[in-house]
């Protein structure tokens, strides 16, 4: 029936709900952790000498290599991709941008879930020296180690980008794909070595990141066309994705100690929802096609889009956060839902002081908590607004400005 919930949608949502119930009743996270954490921890300790060997040359550590590996890590970090993907979208590669964004959200959820399930430590500092040149790296250092998100994301996103351009159908010399594949492999190896050199990961973290990345990439290449058809021309897209986003917040595992990983997942969960809702609304009347507005783009027009688009996205993000900070507490109080806030709403801070951060901010249990952290909803709506503006509001602005 048109507009009805399809079998696969009902099956997907009920499966996630079933996992949440089973994980809560049988305490599956702790059971898995009790098996995996001791083994991974032993491997991290065994890998310490190899990290110390990489860091042994102090004359190089405080100069060239510190700079190279730090910059390289920045260029494959989540904040970089957050800014890079809208640029890809505005340049005309709409399908590539939306697929890479959803893949990034998928990688972020899987990678951070594994981190918090295993709750394995990063290399001990000291004796390992940790090089944290940016605030992003300082945040990463507060997360658990296995797997390396940088390696996992690099394998998935560069692998998908390579697949996308190789399947465009253009006639190219056989040596070009081989050369690109070689560059991708070299970059992955460099990222892995860099994460160890900077003292952020052990060899087991890097290897796990690459393996999980290859598995996720293979899975995504099997389903990406179905996903794209669904978000551009499917039924119940926005309502299904809203339900999926809600359930994924509860399906996220509770770590041994609180980490920023759940915050990162919430942000990209919001990005995925905002992108899907914006793309479906914008493309559905055109039956999933790419508007001619984004084809044959002159350099001057592209630069104009950057000048108009990036500030507009930041304004929408700020406004989304402000509206959410006002609206969500009002809605929760009206519905009688107990809430607290660790950052965004000062009047709610400390209202549940006896509740630990791990209990209030991390989900993974179906049973009600004493209070829910309203910051999760605020963060979700903030980043949903950011992604929606990139794929719907900003392109409409470009049309108005003849860009």
């Amino acid at each position: 029936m048109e507009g009805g919930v399809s079998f696969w949608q009902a099956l997907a949502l009920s499966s996630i709900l079933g996992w949440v119930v089973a994980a809560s009743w049988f305490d599956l996270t702790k059971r898995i952790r009790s098996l995996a954490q001791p083994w991974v921890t032993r491997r991290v300790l065994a890998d310490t000498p190899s990290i110390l060997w990489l860091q042994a040359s102090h004359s190089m550590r405080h100069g060239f290599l510190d700079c190279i590996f730090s910059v390289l890590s920045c260029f494959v970090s989540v904040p970089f991709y957050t800014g890079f993907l809208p640029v890809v979208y505005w340049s005309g590669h709409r399908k590539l941008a939306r697929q890479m964004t959803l893949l990034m959200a998928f990688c972020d959820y899987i990678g951070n879930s594994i981190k918090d399930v295993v709750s394995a430590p990063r290399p001990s500092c000291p004796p390992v020296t940790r090089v944290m040149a940016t605030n992003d790296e300082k945040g990463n250092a507060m997360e658990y180690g296995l797997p390396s998100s940088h390696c996992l994301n690099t394998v998935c996103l560069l692998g998908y980008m390579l697949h996308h351009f190789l399947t465009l159908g253009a006639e190219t010399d056989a040596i070009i794909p081989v050369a690109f594949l070689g560059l991708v492999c070299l970059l992955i190896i460099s990222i892995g070595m860099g994460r160890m050199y900077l003292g952020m990961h052990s060899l087991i973290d890097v290897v796990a990141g690459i393996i999980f990345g290859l598995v996720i990439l293979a899975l995504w290449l099997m389903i990406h066309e179905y996903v794209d058809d669904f978000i551009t021309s499917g039924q119940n897209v926005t309502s299904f994705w809203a339900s999926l986003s809600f359930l994924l917040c509860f399906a996220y595992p509770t770590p041994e100690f609180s980490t920023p990983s759940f915050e990162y997942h919430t942000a990209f969960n919001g990005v995925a929802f905002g992108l899907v809702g914006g793309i479906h609304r914008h493309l559905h009347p055109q039956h999933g096609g790419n508007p001619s507005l984004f084809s044959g783009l002159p350099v001057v027009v592209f630069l104009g889009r950057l000048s108009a688009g990036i500030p507009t996205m930041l304004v929408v993000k700020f406004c989304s956060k402000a509206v959410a900070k006002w609206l969500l507490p009002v809605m929760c109080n009206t519905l009688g839902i107990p809430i607290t806030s660790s950052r965004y709403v000062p009047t709610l801070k400390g209202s549940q002081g006896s509740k630990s951060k791990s209990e209030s901010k991390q989900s993974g249990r179906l049973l009600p908590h004493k209070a829910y952290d309203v910051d999760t909803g605020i963060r979700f709506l903030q980043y949903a607004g950011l992604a929606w503006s990139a794929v719907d509001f900003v392109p409409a602005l470009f049309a108005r400005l003849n860009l």
Side-chain angles (χ1 to χ4, degrees):
M1 181 177 67
E2 177 137 348
V5 178
S6 67
F7 172 75
W8 76 263
Q9 292 175 349
L11 178 63
L13 295 178
S14 60
S15 298
I16 297 174
L17 180 60
W19 166 256
V20 174
V21 174
S24 176
W25 285 355
F26 299 106
D27 210 359
L28 295 180
T29 297
K30 286 187 178 179
R31 291 175 184 269
I32 296 172
R33 182 180 301 141
S34 66
L35 296 174
Q37 188 188 61
W39 183 83
V40 176
T41 301
R42 287 195 297 269
R43 290 307 314 162
V44 171
L45 293 174
D47 291 341
T48 299
S50 61
I51 300 173
L52 293 174
W53 178 80
L54 281 175
Q55 296 184 336
S57 178
H58 292 278
S59 60
M60 298 179 68
R61 269 209 62 256
H62 295 293
F64 181 71
L65 289 181
D66 279 16
C67 180
I68 289 294
F69 286 129
S70 295
V71 170
L72 201 57
S73 293
C74 289
F75 274 112
V76 295
S77 64
V78 170
F80 169 77
Y81 285 117
T82 303
F84 172 71
L85 293 174
V87 174
V88 175
Y89 191 85
W90 299 337
S91 68
H93 299 285
R94 284 190 146 192
K95 181 177 180 179
L96 175 63
R98 63 186 179 239
Q99 284 291 305
M100 287 185 67
T101 302
L102 293 178
L103 177 57
M104 185 78 180
F106 188 40
C107 290
D108 184 80
Y109 178 77
I110 297 297
N112 285 336
S113 293
I114 295 172
K115 282 178 186 286
D116 283 352
V117 166
V118 178
S119 295
R122 290 180 181 266
S124 298
C125 176
V128 169
T129 302
R130 209 165 273 162
V131 182
M132 296 181 288
T134 63
N135 288 330
D136 182 52
E137 286 285 53
K138 293 176 182 177
N140 290 335
M142 296 172 64
E143 296 181 283
Y144 289 110
L146 184 137
S148 167
S149 297
H150 282 73
C151 293
L152 190 155
N153 294 338
T154 301
V155 169
C156 285
L157 297 179
L158 290 186
Y160 184 81
M161 188 182 296
L162 180 63
H163 170 270
H164 176 82
F165 286 113
L166 291 181
T167 54
L168 284 178
E171 293 291 332
T172 58
D173 237 341
I175 195 172
I176 295 179
V178 175
F180 274 115
L181 179 61
L183 287 175
V184 169
C185 292
L186 178 61
L187 182 59
I188 292 170
I189 294 172
S190 300
I191 292 296
M193 288 186 60
R195 300 312 289 163
M196 292 177 62
Y197 172 84
L198 296 175
M200 300 297 290
H201 284 288
S202 300
L203 179 61
I204 185 65
D205 303 337
V206 171
V207 172
I210 293 173
I211 291 174
F212 283 121
L214 291 172
V215 172
I216 293 172
L217 177 61
L219 175 62
W220 192 258
L221 292 179
M222 293 170 58
I223 66 172
H224 72 116
E225 292 293 351
Y226 300 104
V227 173
D228 201 64
D229 289 342
F230 173 65
I231 66 173
T232 56
S233 57
Q235 297 292 329
N236 312 302
V237 176
T238 305
S239 58
F240 169 77
W241 214 278
S243 303
L244 177 66
S245 300
F246 179 78
L247 287 176
L248 286 179
C249 286
F250 284 89
Y252 191 87
T254 303
E256 191 171 28
F257 300 103
S258 181
T259 73
S261 296
F262 181 66
E263 297 180 10
Y264 301 153
H265 153 66
T266 303
F268 255 92
N269 196 7
V271 166
F273 175 69
L275 176 134
V276 168
I279 283 177
H280 184 68
R281 197 191 75 81
H282 196 62
L283 291 182
H284 187 62
Q286 303 169 41
H287 306 290
N290 287 322
S292 58
L293 175 68
F294 287 84
S295 61
L297 196 65
V299 175
V300 175
V301 174
F302 176 65
L303 293 177
R305 289 183 177 182
L306 291 183
S307 301
I310 292 177
T312 302
M313 282 179 57
L314 295 178
V315 170
V316 171
K317 179 185 176 184
F318 174 81
C319 293
S320 299
K321 181 179 179 179
V323 171
K325 285 170 65 176
W326 168 79
L327 184 61
L328 284 182
V330 172
M331 289 179 59
C332 291
N333 289 332
T334 302
L335 296 173
I337 301 173
I339 55 174
T340 184
S341 174
S342 55
R343 182 182 306 175
Y344 293 142
V345 187
T347 56
L348 295 175
K349 288 183 178 179
S351 60
Q352 294 288 333
S354 61
K355 189 171 184 57
S356 70
K357 270 190 175 182
S358 177
E359 291 176 322
S360 64
K361 295 185 69 173
Q362 309 290 340
S363 299
R365 293 194 181 96
L366 185 65
L367 299 177
H369 298 138
K370 293 180 181 178
Y372 292 92
D373 193 340
V374 75
D375 291 1
T376 297
I378 294 171
R379 188 176 297 109
F380 178 87
L381 293 178
Q382 173 187 3
Y383 282 92
L386 177 73
W388 165 79
S389 67
V391 300
D392 192 355
F393 183 71
V394 170
L397 176 64
F398 292 159
R400 288 278 186 179
L401 298 175
N402 294 319
L403 288 174

PDB file of all heavy atoms in Angstrom, residues 226-246:
ATOM      1  N   TYR A 226      20.810   0.565  -3.135  1.00  0.00           N
ATOM      2  CA  TYR A 226      19.477   0.448  -2.519  1.00  0.00           C
ATOM      3  C   TYR A 226      19.228   1.601  -1.553  1.00  0.00           C
ATOM      4  O   TYR A 226      18.123   2.164  -1.505  1.00  0.00           O
ATOM      5  CB  TYR A 226      19.345  -0.886  -1.784  1.00  0.00           C
ATOM      6  CG  TYR A 226      19.507  -2.093  -2.665  1.00  0.00           C
ATOM      7  CD1 TYR A 226      20.684  -2.840  -2.655  1.00  0.00           C
ATOM      8  CD2 TYR A 226      18.487  -2.499  -3.531  1.00  0.00           C
ATOM      9  CE1 TYR A 226      20.852  -3.955  -3.467  1.00  0.00           C
ATOM     10  CE2 TYR A 226      18.635  -3.613  -4.349  1.00  0.00           C
ATOM     11  CZ  TYR A 226      19.824  -4.332  -4.306  1.00  0.00           C
ATOM     12  OH  TYR A 226      19.977  -5.431  -5.110  1.00  0.00           O
ATOM     13  N   VAL A 227      20.264   1.948  -0.783  1.00  0.00           N
ATOM     14  CA  VAL A 227      20.136   3.069   0.154  1.00  0.00           C
ATOM     15  C   VAL A 227      19.872   4.362  -0.600  1.00  0.00           C
ATOM     16  O   VAL A 227      18.994   5.153  -0.227  1.00  0.00           O
ATOM     17  CB  VAL A 227      21.402   3.193   1.031  1.00  0.00           C
ATOM     18  CG1 VAL A 227      21.346   4.464   1.885  1.00  0.00           C
ATOM     19  CG2 VAL A 227      21.577   1.969   1.912  1.00  0.00           C
ATOM     20  N   ASP A 228      20.602   4.578  -1.697  1.00  0.00           N
ATOM     21  CA  ASP A 228      20.444   5.815  -2.452  1.00  0.00           C
ATOM     22  C   ASP A 228      19.065   5.896  -3.095  1.00  0.00           C
ATOM     23  O   ASP A 228      18.437   6.963  -3.098  1.00  0.00           O
ATOM     24  CB  ASP A 228      21.537   5.905  -3.529  1.00  0.00           C
ATOM     25  CG  ASP A 228      21.758   7.335  -3.995  1.00  0.00           C
ATOM     26  OD1 ASP A 228      22.193   8.151  -3.161  1.00  0.00           O
ATOM     27  OD2 ASP A 228      21.470   7.634  -5.163  1.00  0.00           O
ATOM     28  N   ASP A 229      18.591   4.792  -3.653  1.00  0.00           N
ATOM     29  CA  ASP A 229      17.242   4.781  -4.230  1.00  0.00           C
ATOM     30  C   ASP A 229      16.188   5.087  -3.175  1.00  0.00           C
ATOM     31  O   ASP A 229      15.207   5.796  -3.434  1.00  0.00           O
ATOM     32  CB  ASP A 229      16.949   3.415  -4.869  1.00  0.00           C
ATOM     33  CG  ASP A 229      17.746   3.190  -6.149  1.00  0.00           C
ATOM     34  OD1 ASP A 229      18.243   4.182  -6.720  1.00  0.00           O
ATOM     35  OD2 ASP A 229      17.881   2.023  -6.561  1.00  0.00           O
ATOM     36  N   PHE A 230      16.407   4.553  -1.979  1.00  0.00           N
ATOM     37  CA  PHE A 230      15.425   4.761  -0.908  1.00  0.00           C
ATOM     38  C   PHE A 230      15.368   6.217  -0.480  1.00  0.00           C
ATOM     39  O   PHE A 230      14.277   6.802  -0.385  1.00  0.00           O
ATOM     40  CB  PHE A 230      15.759   3.868   0.283  1.00  0.00           C
ATOM     41  CG  PHE A 230      14.899   4.134   1.491  1.00  0.00           C
ATOM     42  CD1 PHE A 230      13.534   3.895   1.460  1.00  0.00           C
ATOM     43  CD2 PHE A 230      15.467   4.628   2.663  1.00  0.00           C
ATOM     44  CE1 PHE A 230      12.742   4.152   2.571  1.00  0.00           C
ATOM     45  CE2 PHE A 230      14.685   4.881   3.775  1.00  0.00           C
ATOM     46  CZ  PHE A 230      13.312   4.643   3.729  1.00  0.00           C
ATOM     47  N   ILE A 231      16.532   6.835  -0.223  1.00  0.00           N
ATOM     48  CA  ILE A 231      16.503   8.199   0.314  1.00  0.00           C
ATOM     49  C   ILE A 231      16.109   9.229  -0.732  1.00  0.00           C
ATOM     50  O   ILE A 231      15.687  10.339  -0.387  1.00  0.00           O
ATOM     51  CB  ILE A 231      17.857   8.586   0.950  1.00  0.00           C
ATOM     52  CG1 ILE A 231      18.966   8.657  -0.096  1.00  0.00           C
ATOM     53  CG2 ILE A 231      18.221   7.650   2.074  1.00  0.00           C
ATOM     54  CD1 ILE A 231      20.272   9.182   0.445  1.00  0.00           C
ATOM     55  N   THR A 232      16.238   8.908  -2.020  1.00  0.00           N
ATOM     56  CA  THR A 232      15.864   9.869  -3.057  1.00  0.00           C
ATOM     57  C   THR A 232      14.445   9.685  -3.572  1.00  0.00           C
ATOM     58  O   THR A 232      13.822  10.643  -4.015  1.00  0.00           O
ATOM     59  CB  THR A 232      16.834   9.796  -4.246  1.00  0.00           C
ATOM     60  OG1 THR A 232      16.882   8.458  -4.757  1.00  0.00           O
ATOM     61  CG2 THR A 232      18.232  10.237  -3.842  1.00  0.00           C
ATOM     62  N   SER A 233      13.913   8.458  -3.517  1.00  0.00           N
ATOM     63  CA  SER A 233      12.594   8.243  -4.113  1.00  0.00           C
ATOM     64  C   SER A 233      11.754   7.201  -3.385  1.00  0.00           C
ATOM     65  O   SER A 233      10.797   6.676  -3.948  1.00  0.00           O
ATOM     66  CB  SER A 233      12.748   7.832  -5.584  1.00  0.00           C
ATOM     67  OG  SER A 233      13.559   6.667  -5.694  1.00  0.00           O
ATOM     68  N   GLY A 234      12.118   6.883  -2.134  1.00  0.00           N
ATOM     69  CA  GLY A 234      11.373   5.873  -1.390  1.00  0.00           C
ATOM     70  C   GLY A 234      10.162   6.437  -0.677  1.00  0.00           C
ATOM     71  O   GLY A 234       9.861   7.637  -0.739  1.00  0.00           O
ATOM     72  N   GLN A 235       9.454   5.550   0.028  1.00  0.00           N
ATOM     73  CA  GLN A 235       8.281   5.928   0.815  1.00  0.00           C
ATOM     74  C   GLN A 235       8.652   5.962   2.298  1.00  0.00           C
ATOM     75  O   GLN A 235       9.475   5.181   2.760  1.00  0.00           O
ATOM     76  CB  GLN A 235       7.152   4.917   0.595  1.00  0.00           C
ATOM     77  CG  GLN A 235       6.644   4.852  -0.846  1.00  0.00           C
ATOM     78  CD  GLN A 235       5.929   6.125  -1.268  1.00  0.00           C
ATOM     79  OE1 GLN A 235       5.318   6.794  -0.439  1.00  0.00           O
ATOM     80  NE2 GLN A 235       6.007   6.452  -2.550  1.00  0.00           N
ATOM     81  N   ASN A 236       8.026   6.872   3.034  1.00  0.00           N
ATOM     82  CA  ASN A 236       8.228   6.978   4.491  1.00  0.00           C
ATOM     83  C   ASN A 236       9.684   7.218   4.865  1.00  0.00           C
ATOM     84  O   ASN A 236      10.147   6.746   5.906  1.00  0.00           O
ATOM     85  CB  ASN A 236       7.754   5.701   5.210  1.00  0.00           C
ATOM     86  CG  ASN A 236       6.376   5.261   4.769  1.00  0.00           C
ATOM     87  OD1 ASN A 236       5.428   6.009   4.874  1.00  0.00           O
ATOM     88  ND2 ASN A 236       6.289   4.051   4.251  1.00  0.00           N
ATOM     89  N   VAL A 237      10.404   7.935   4.011  1.00  0.00           N
ATOM     90  CA  VAL A 237      11.845   8.094   4.236  1.00  0.00           C
ATOM     91  C   VAL A 237      12.124   8.852   5.536  1.00  0.00           C
ATOM     92  O   VAL A 237      12.886   8.382   6.392  1.00  0.00           O
ATOM     93  CB  VAL A 237      12.499   8.819   3.036  1.00  0.00           C
ATOM     94  CG1 VAL A 237      13.975   9.064   3.314  1.00  0.00           C
ATOM     95  CG2 VAL A 237      12.321   8.010   1.765  1.00  0.00           C
ATOM     96  N   THR A 238      11.505  10.014   5.685  1.00  0.00           N
ATOM     97  CA  THR A 238      11.793  10.847   6.856  1.00  0.00           C
ATOM     98  C   THR A 238      11.317  10.195   8.145  1.00  0.00           C
ATOM     99  O   THR A 238      12.043  10.185   9.154  1.00  0.00           O
ATOM    100  CB  THR A 238      11.150  12.238   6.689  1.00  0.00           C
ATOM    101  OG1 THR A 238      11.597  12.831   5.460  1.00  0.00           O
ATOM    102  CG2 THR A 238      11.529  13.148   7.845  1.00  0.00           C
ATOM    103  N   SER A 239      10.109   9.633   8.130  1.00  0.00           N
ATOM    104  CA  SER A 239       9.583   8.999   9.350  1.00  0.00           C
ATOM    105  C   SER A 239      10.387   7.762   9.720  1.00  0.00           C
ATOM    106  O   SER A 239      10.660   7.515  10.904  1.00  0.00           O
ATOM    107  CB  SER A 239       8.107   8.637   9.157  1.00  0.00           C
ATOM    108  OG  SER A 239       7.938   7.775   8.049  1.00  0.00           O
ATOM    109  N   PHE A 240      10.794   6.986   8.702  1.00  0.00           N
ATOM    110  CA  PHE A 240      11.614   5.809   8.986  1.00  0.00           C
ATOM    111  C   PHE A 240      12.958   6.218   9.572  1.00  0.00           C
ATOM    112  O   PHE A 240      13.414   5.643  10.564  1.00  0.00           O
ATOM    113  CB  PHE A 240      11.835   4.994   7.715  1.00  0.00           C
ATOM    114  CG  PHE A 240      12.880   3.912   7.856  1.00  0.00           C
ATOM    115  CD1 PHE A 240      12.590   2.736   8.516  1.00  0.00           C
ATOM    116  CD2 PHE A 240      14.170   4.093   7.361  1.00  0.00           C
ATOM    117  CE1 PHE A 240      13.558   1.742   8.675  1.00  0.00           C
ATOM    118  CE2 PHE A 240      15.142   3.113   7.510  1.00  0.00           C
ATOM    119  CZ  PHE A 240      14.829   1.941   8.171  1.00  0.00           C
ATOM    120  N   TRP A 241      13.588   7.233   8.974  1.00  0.00           N
ATOM    121  CA  TRP A 241      14.922   7.618   9.453  1.00  0.00           C
ATOM    122  C   TRP A 241      14.844   8.258  10.828  1.00  0.00           C
ATOM    123  O   TRP A 241      15.771   8.105  11.640  1.00  0.00           O
ATOM    124  CB  TRP A 241      15.607   8.549   8.458  1.00  0.00           C
ATOM    125  CG  TRP A 241      17.083   8.319   8.435  1.00  0.00           C
ATOM    126  CD1 TRP A 241      18.020   8.822   9.298  1.00  0.00           C
ATOM    127  CD2 TRP A 241      17.806   7.472   7.533  1.00  0.00           C
ATOM    128  NE1 TRP A 241      19.279   8.366   8.983  1.00  0.00           N
ATOM    129  CE2 TRP A 241      19.175   7.528   7.896  1.00  0.00           C
ATOM    130  CE3 TRP A 241      17.436   6.697   6.446  1.00  0.00           C
ATOM    131  CZ2 TRP A 241      20.160   6.833   7.222  1.00  0.00           C
ATOM    132  CZ3 TRP A 241      18.418   5.997   5.769  1.00  0.00           C
ATOM    133  CH2 TRP A 241      19.759   6.068   6.153  1.00  0.00           C
ATOM    134  N   ALA A 242      13.751   8.968  11.115  1.00  0.00           N
ATOM    135  CA  ALA A 242      13.580   9.532  12.456  1.00  0.00           C
ATOM    136  C   ALA A 242      13.472   8.411  13.492  1.00  0.00           C
ATOM    137  O   ALA A 242      14.080   8.472  14.568  1.00  0.00           O
ATOM    138  CB  ALA A 242      12.347  10.422  12.499  1.00  0.00           C
ATOM    139  N   SER A 243      12.705   7.365  13.167  1.00  0.00           N
ATOM    140  CA  SER A 243      12.577   6.218  14.078  1.00  0.00           C
ATOM    141  C   SER A 243      13.907   5.500  14.242  1.00  0.00           C
ATOM    142  O   SER A 243      14.284   5.104  15.350  1.00  0.00           O
ATOM    143  CB  SER A 243      11.521   5.244  13.539  1.00  0.00           C
ATOM    144  OG  SER A 243      10.276   5.881  13.371  1.00  0.00           O
ATOM    145  N   LEU A 244      14.629   5.346  13.124  1.00  0.00           N
ATOM    146  CA  LEU A 244      15.937   4.697  13.166  1.00  0.00           C
ATOM    147  C   LEU A 244      16.906   5.486  14.044  1.00  0.00           C
ATOM    148  O   LEU A 244      17.618   4.910  14.882  1.00  0.00           O
ATOM    149  CB  LEU A 244      16.484   4.564  11.748  1.00  0.00           C
ATOM    150  CG  LEU A 244      17.887   3.966  11.597  1.00  0.00           C
ATOM    151  CD1 LEU A 244      17.896   2.506  12.031  1.00  0.00           C
ATOM    152  CD2 LEU A 244      18.378   4.096  10.148  1.00  0.00           C
ATOM    153  N   SER A 245      16.937   6.805  13.875  1.00  0.00           N
ATOM    154  CA  SER A 245      17.842   7.651  14.661  1.00  0.00           C
ATOM    155  C   SER A 245      17.533   7.557  16.142  1.00  0.00           C
ATOM    156  O   SER A 245      18.438   7.492  16.988  1.00  0.00           O
ATOM    157  CB  SER A 245      17.731   9.112  14.194  1.00  0.00           C
ATOM    158  OG  SER A 245      18.080   9.238  12.833  1.00  0.00           O
ATOM    159  N   PHE A 246      16.245   7.543  16.473  1.00  0.00           N
ATOM    160  CA  PHE A 246      15.832   7.444  17.876  1.00  0.00           C
ATOM    161  C   PHE A 246      16.281   6.124  18.487  1.00  0.00           C
ATOM    162  O   PHE A 246      16.854   6.084  19.586  1.00  0.00           O
ATOM    163  CB  PHE A 246      14.313   7.594  17.958  1.00  0.00           C
ATOM    164  CG  PHE A 246      13.772   7.479  19.358  1.00  0.00           C
ATOM    165  CD1 PHE A 246      13.866   8.541  20.246  1.00  0.00           C
ATOM    166  CD2 PHE A 246      13.152   6.314  19.783  1.00  0.00           C
ATOM    167  CE1 PHE A 246      13.373   8.439  21.539  1.00  0.00           C
ATOM    168  CE2 PHE A 246      12.653   6.191  21.073  1.00  0.00           C
ATOM    169  CZ  PHE A 246      12.762   7.267  21.951  1.00  0.00           C
TER     170      PHE A 246
END
